[in-house]
Amino acid sequence: MQHDPSPYDALLLVSFGGPEAPEEVVPFLENVTRGRGIPRERLVEVGEHYFHFGGKSPINDRNREFLAAIREDLAGNGLDLPVYWGNRNWGPYIGEALEQMVADGVKRAAVFFTSVYSSYSSCRQYRENLADALAGLPEGTTLELDVLRRSFNHPGFIDAMVDATLAAVADLPDAQRESAHLSFVTHSIPTAMNDASGPEGGAYDLQHRSVMEEIVERVRLETGHRFRHQLVYCSRSGAPHVPWLEPDVNDHLAQLAEHGTPAVVAIPIGFVSDHMEVVWDLDTEAAATAEKLGLTYVRAATAGIDPRFVAMVRELLLERAAVERGIPTARPAEGGLPACWDRCAPDCCRNLQQGDRPTVGGLR
Ligand SMILES: CC1=C(CCC(=O)O)c2cc3nc(cc4[nH]c(cc5[nH]c(cc1n2)c(C)c5CCC(=O)O)c(CCC(=O)O)c4C)C(CCC(=O)O)=C3C
Ligand SMILES: [Fe+2]
C-alpha cells in the first residue's frame, strides 16, 4: 500500500444534499428537478416524505458523520490532508467548497462521490456539477479535480455489505432463515438512463448485479446456504409513460408473499448510508407493505461509517495518487467486473435530456 498522497493536497467529498428544515423542502425539490421533467404530483408526494420526518433529510447528518470518520482515518494513517464537502442540491454547495479550497491554497484534489455506481444521476451529473462550480471560480484560479473511480466493487464496500447482510440474515427467525429471500434494493432510474450508463451502456444494472452476485456467494461461503435473491428498485419517479427499471420493491414483496416466501432481507446496495430512500422507501413504506402481506422483513445496514468503507476512500485516493505519479499499484475489486476506469470516456453516462455539457474527470 502506497502512503504518499501527492499530487493531491486535499480530498473533496461530493454528495446529493438534502433539506434540514420544513421551509427548505420545496426549494430543495426545485433544485433537484430543475430541467428533469418530473410531474408536480410526484414532487408533492416526495415532499410528504420529507415532511413526515419534520422537513429534515437524514443525508447531511450521515455525511457529517462520514466526514468525521474520514478525517479520523486519514489522521490515524499519518495523512495530513484537509477534507472538504459540497453538495449538488443543497448547502453546503460544491461551489462553496471550491471557494474555500482556493482560499486555503489547494491546488489539486481527489474527489469522492457518495454514490458508487455509473449512471448520469450517480456519476456524470456530479462531474457536470464540478465543471459548473469550477467555471464559477474567479478567472485565473488553478484548481485541479480528479474524480476517484466508481467503487461499487471495491472490497471496502463489498465487505461492509457482506457483513451487513450476514447480520440481517442472523436476525431472521431460525425457522424462516433458509427460505428467506434476499432482496437487493437500489434507486430506480429510467431504462434509457441505464441503457446510456457507462462507456458501453447498461453499466448501472450490470454493476449492481455484480455486487449482488458477489454478496450472495460470500454469504453462501459463510452460511453454507445459497439464498434466493433478486435486484429490485425503489423511488421510481418521472412521468408514468416513461419506463424505469423494475420491479418496484413493493410489487416484488407482493410477488414473494404470493409464492409463499415467509421472510425477506432488504439489502440497500444502491445507497451508501441511510438516506431518505432508506428511511422512507425501505424502513417505512416497504416495511409496511411486508407487514400487510404477513412477511417477516429485516433491512440490512448501509455501509455508512463501517471502518472498511471509510478506509476505502483513503485507499482510493492513495491508489489514484500512485497512478498519477506513474507508479504501478494494485486496483482491488471483488466480483465479476474489473476495477473501474479512472477517467470516463466522452460518451460515458450521457445526459439524455440536456445533451453534452462540460464535465470534470473525463479522458483528455
Ligand atoms: C441513481 C440515483 C441516486 C443514487 C446515486 C446518488 O446518491 O447520487 C439518487 C440518489 C438520491 N436521490 C435523492 C433525492 C431525490 N431524487 C430525485 C429524483 C431522481 N433521482 C434519480 C436517480 C438517483 N437518485 C433520478 C433519475 C431522479 C429523477 C429526476 C432526474 O432525472 O434527475 C428527487 C426528486 C423527486 C423524485 O423524483 O423522486 C429527489 C428528492 C437523494 C437525497 C435523499 C435524502 O434526502 O436523504 C439521494 C441520495
Ligand atoms: Fe434520486
Side-chain angles (χ1 to χ4, degrees):
M1 174 49 71
Q2 312 281 344
H3 284 282
D4 184 356
S6 66
Y8 301 122
D9 46 19
L11 170 69
L12 171 63
L13 184 75
V14 167
S15 193
F16 197 93
E20 298 197 90
E23 64 275 15
E24 297 178 359
V25 172
V26 170
F28 160 76
L29 290 176
E30 285 167 355
N31 286 350
V32 176
T33 55
R34 192 164 293 133
R36 304 298 304 164
I38 302 302
R40 174 102 218 129
E41 308 81 81
R42 168 68 189 169
L43 285 192
V44 170
E45 184 191 326
V46 175
E48 287 308 319
H49 304 170
Y50 285 94
F51 291 126
H52 176 86
F53 291 97
K56 184 174 161 82
S57 161
I59 195 169
N60 293 350
D61 281 343
R62 297 295 79 76
N63 278 325
R64 289 181 186 106
E65 291 167 3
F66 192 45
L67 274 171
I70 291 171
R71 289 188 174 121
E72 201 176 311
D73 172 86
L74 289 173
N77 284 276
L79 291 167
D80 181 23
L81 278 185
V83 187
Y84 298 86
W85 170 38
N87 298 314
R88 173 192 296 161
N89 299 300
W90 203 252
Y93 285 102
I94 296 168
E96 301 172 82
L98 298 195
E99 280 168 24
Q100 189 60 50
M101 290 162 78
V102 171
D104 293 348
V106 172
K107 293 288 176 224
R108 189 169 177 187
V111 187
F112 180 80
F113 299 160
T114 57
S115 111
V116 297
Y117 301 91
S118 296
S119 81
Y120 175 70
S121 288
S122 53
C123 188
R124 192 182 182 110
Q125 193 174 4
Y126 287 117
R127 297 173 47 229
E128 291 178 353
N129 300 147
L130 290 171
D132 290 344
L134 276 181
L137 293 175
E139 193 112 6
T141 318
T142 54
L143 175 61
E144 206 177 330
L145 302 172
D146 286 357
V147 177
L148 296 173
R149 67 169 159 102
R150 309 288 69 225
S151 53
F152 62 93
N153 58 356
H154 192 283
F157 179 64
I158 298 279
D159 294 355
M161 292 312 293
V162 166
D163 283 352
T165 305
L166 286 169
V169 162
D171 273 349
L172 291 166
D174 290 341
Q176 296 182 338
R177 190 167 297 112
E178 296 221 331
S179 35
H181 190 100
L182 305 188
S183 304
F184 292 83
V185 190
T186 190
H187 202 305
S188 186
I189 57 173
T191 58
M193 188 186 284
N194 176 56
D195 292 345
S197 67
E200 288 148 22
Y204 185 76
D205 209 54
L206 212 65
Q207 292 171 353
H208 279 87
R209 288 181 194 285
S210 86
V211 168
M212 171 171 72
E213 291 302 335
E214 179 65 9
I215 295 174
V216 168
E217 179 56 13
R218 293 270 298 275
V219 168
R220 185 188 70 78
L221 290 173
E222 207 57 47
T223 64
H225 179 65
R226 184 170 162 85
F227 283 84
R228 289 183 304 130
H229 58 278
Q230 193 177 335
L231 179 61
V232 303
Y233 305 88
C234 67
S235 309
R236 186 213 197 276
S237 169
H241 65 274
V242 177
W244 283 53
L245 296 177
E246 290 177 351
D248 177 78
V249 59
N250 298 284
D251 298 336
H252 162 74
L253 293 175
Q255 280 265 306
L256 290 182
E258 206 173 298
H259 289 90
T261 301
V264 56
V265 177
I267 307 154
I269 56 170
F271 306 97
V272 299
S273 70
D274 292 1
H275 300 158
M276 187 56 92
E277 291 88 343
V278 177
V279 301
W280 175 267
D281 297 78
L282 293 182
D283 294 353
T284 309
E285 202 177 36
T289 301
E291 165 137 52
K292 213 167 56 200
L293 294 164
L295 280 170
T296 301
Y297 176 91
V298 180
R299 200 261 293 170
T302 50
I305 51 168
D306 182 295
R308 293 161 295 185
F309 186 61
V310 173
M312 177 186 91
V313 179
R314 163 176 46 83
E315 290 166 19
L316 286 171
L317 181 147
L318 292 172
E319 171 192 304
R320 182 63 181 275
V323 169
E324 296 302 319
R325 296 197 314 275
I327 293 171
T329 181
R331 296 171 69 81
E334 292 178 350
L337 294 174
C340 231
W341 50 89
D342 282 329
R343 290 179 197 273
C344 294
D347 57 354
C348 198
C349 302
R350 277 223 151 109
N351 180 347
L352 301 173
Q353 278 166 304
Q354 288 148 322
D356 290 352
R357 303 188 57 246
T359 60
V360 158
L363 279 168
R364 287 180 291 202

